[in-house]
Amino acid sequence: MAKSMEPNRNQKNVTSSGTNIDEVKRQNANSGLSYNQAKELLAKQTAEREMAQNDYVHEVGKENL
């Protein structure tokens, strides 16, 4: 009888070194922002702050004319 290529549902999803893949994925999902997500968020916040400062400088400049 040939072995099935279907994984055994009772067996844990582990690497050859014994790392539980499902547990790593679960912990990664709960770890917060990735590096790229944090970088993107900071870029957006910086751009918004710079636009607000430019608007303020423009308004103050009009008042002084």
Side-chain angles (χ1 to χ4, degrees):
M1 186 149 81
K3 282 189 170 182
S4 170
M5 296 302 286
E6 186 74 23
N8 183 350
R9 296 294 173 211
N10 296 328
Q11 186 178 17
K12 292 192 181 233
N13 193 11
V14 296
T15 65
S16 60
S17 64
T19 302
N20 183 330
I21 296 170
D22 295 324
E23 180 65 14
V24 170
K25 287 180 179 181
R26 185 190 68 75
Q27 288 180 3
N28 286 345
N30 294 326
S31 67
L33 297 176
S34 70
Y35 172 80
N36 286 335
Q37 289 169 324
K39 191 170 128 179
E40 181 180 350
L41 179 62
L42 287 171
K44 286 179 183 178
Q45 289 175 342
T46 301
E48 289 172 359
R49 189 175 304 121
E50 287 176 355
M51 286 190 327
Q53 287 174 344
N54 288 341
D55 289 344
Y56 175 76
V57 168
H58 182 72
E59 288 300 316
V60 169
K62 284 178 21 180
E63 292 173 3
N64 292 329
L65 289 177

